[in-house]
Amino acid sequence: MTFSRFAALFSKECRQIVRDPSSILIAFVLPIILIVIFTYAVSLDMNHLKIAVILEDDSAPARSLAGAFLANSHFESRVSADRRAFERDLVAGHIRGIVIIPRRFGEKLRQGEIKPLEVITDGSEPNTANFVQNYAQGVWAVWFGQHQALTGGTLTPTPDSETRIWYNPELESRHFLLPGALALIMTLIGTLLTALVISREWERGTMEALLSTAVTRGELLLGKLVPYFLLGMLSLTLSVAAIILVFHVPFRGSFLLLGASGAEFLLSALGLGLFISTVAKNQFVACQIAFLAAFMPSLMLSGFIFEISSMPAWIQYICNIIPAKYFITCLHSLFLVGNVPALLGIHPYPPLREKNYSHITESALSPVR
């Protein structure tokens, strides 16, 4: 390998990048488009859920509770006295749930009893049904606390657990989606940059001209790899800047570690693109293979959307060879948690020391009377 031939190939590829608008579009325009899509079009938050509130009791507490549902931003509520008015809407999917405030609700509340609400949800979408149930429970708990404070009552609802959310206390899905989407974006960009560019060389017939020269395989590979590696790192920098500065996702880790992990991941994506280019001799086939071999496995088997631990064991082994799985873990750690060495692959957690609890007797565990 000689530096002069490598420099000539590097210069050739840089000029081709400047002259070819597709490389610029892939490196700079495509990431921004995908980030905007993941920010606004893809969301795990549920807002403005359409529900019906059936007011079977006309007492003041029942009407106050119905008003709490109407005022809640998570729901778009309609109130009626007859549940049959909305059962067809629930079956047709026009509403996501029905909350029924039962008869004698106010009377039982004054007598010191709690008559439970009935929540009917559409089970065809389990995730949405869970949101409706949890939000309805939240509205009920907040309203009941306010009612007790205003009336001076001492009645308490069923005890509930106290929940603490670490790292993303606002439960903003954007803070989870955008770092993970960055791994998918870099997978797509890195694979397409090398796969499409080399397949273009085959289509135009210039690859045979390169192979007929004194250029070695190493010089050819480096000449193709290094310019697009630098272009991919610029794309990564632009994407991270947009995520932090434009969409205000917190970043609590080290930019140096982010650059190192991004460079390592980008090399694997570019290498996959080079491998695809040895199989596909035209750009259309290369693009299809890049989506099937790179983007789809990263989307489905990286743990970004679907929990890996819930998959069958043989699929979990396949997940271990997906580079995006490890890069997504690094990104979530750096953005939301900080520099966690075990998650970044620097060194594992020390093993926990097992403690002996045999000295604790059964009487020590029995409740105090």
Side-chain angles (χ1 to χ4, degrees), residues 355-361:
K355 296 182 179 181
N356 186 7
Y357 295 98
S358 59
H359 62 282
I360 300 179
T361 62

Side-chain angles (χ1 to χ4, degrees), residues 91-365:
V91 174
H94 298 155
I95 60 175
R96 296 303 183 186
I98 300 175
V99 177
I100 301 173
I101 302 176
R103 296 182 179 89
R104 303 178 63 195
F105 175 81
E107 178 185 347
K108 291 291 184 181
L109 196 63
R110 286 190 297 269
Q111 295 174 357
E113 301 179 15
I114 299 177
K115 197 163 186 181
L117 305 181
E118 182 180 356
V119 180
I120 304 173
T121 57
D122 182 5
S124 62
E125 297 185 13
N127 188 48
T128 304
N130 288 330
F131 271 105
V132 172
Q133 292 177 349
N134 293 332
Y135 287 159
Q137 178 65 30
V139 172
W140 155 251
V142 172
W143 176 86
F144 187 83
Q146 294 175 348
H147 176 77
Q148 292 290 85
L150 291 174
T151 59
T154 58
L155 182 64
T156 57
T158 304
D160 199 0
S161 60
E162 181 181 354
T163 304
R164 295 178 61 191
I165 311 269
W166 287 10
Y167 311 130
N168 187 13
E170 299 86 4
L171 291 178
E172 284 281 349
S173 62
R174 176 185 303 180
H175 296 173
F176 166 80
L177 285 173
L178 288 184
L182 183 59
L184 302 181
I185 293 170
M186 298 313 300
T187 299
L188 186 60
I189 290 173
T191 308
L192 287 178
L193 281 176
T194 48
L196 294 182
V197 168
I198 295 183
S199 62
R200 188 184 304 119
E201 298 272 9
W202 288 110
E203 285 185 352
R204 296 175 178 176
T206 55
M207 182 60 72
E208 288 83 355
L210 282 175
L211 295 176
S212 64
T213 63
V215 174
T216 63
R217 294 178 181 177
E219 292 168 351
L220 179 61
L221 290 176
L222 283 179
K224 291 290 185 183
L225 189 64
V226 174
Y228 295 101
F229 172 77
L230 298 177
L231 189 63
M233 291 302 295
L234 288 175
S235 176
L236 175 64
T237 304
L238 176 65
S239 300
V240 170
I243 290 173
I244 297 175
L245 300 178
V246 179
F247 301 108
H248 307 292
V249 176
F251 185 84
R252 301 186 174 99
S254 168
F255 286 103
L256 181 62
L257 291 175
L258 175 62
S261 59
E264 183 179 2
F265 179 76
L266 184 60
L267 284 174
S268 69
L270 293 171
L272 179 59
L274 286 174
F275 177 74
I276 292 174
S277 67
T278 62
V279 178
K281 297 300 191 296
N282 64 76
Q283 297 181 68
F284 178 78
V285 176
C287 182
Q288 296 297 318
I289 296 177
F291 271 98
L292 293 176
F295 185 76
M296 292 304 296
S298 298
L299 178 66
M300 307 292 288
L301 302 178
S302 63
F304 174 52
I305 296 179
F306 306 105
E307 182 63 35
I308 294 178
S309 60
S310 63
M311 301 178 184
W314 64 275
I315 296 183
Q316 294 186 33
Y317 287 116
I318 298 176
C319 295
N320 292 331
I321 64 175
I322 304 297
K325 169 190 174 182
Y326 307 100
F327 190 43
I328 288 176
T329 301
C330 292
L331 289 172
H332 282 156
S333 172
L334 290 171
F335 273 89
L336 300 179
V337 183
N339 300 327
V340 182
L343 295 179
L344 298 175
I346 299 176
H347 62 77
Y349 284 117
L352 295 175
R353 295 181 180 179
E354 295 184 359
K355 296 182 179 181
N356 186 7
Y357 295 98
S358 59
H359 62 282
I360 300 179
T361 62
E362 182 178 353
S363 59
L365 295 175

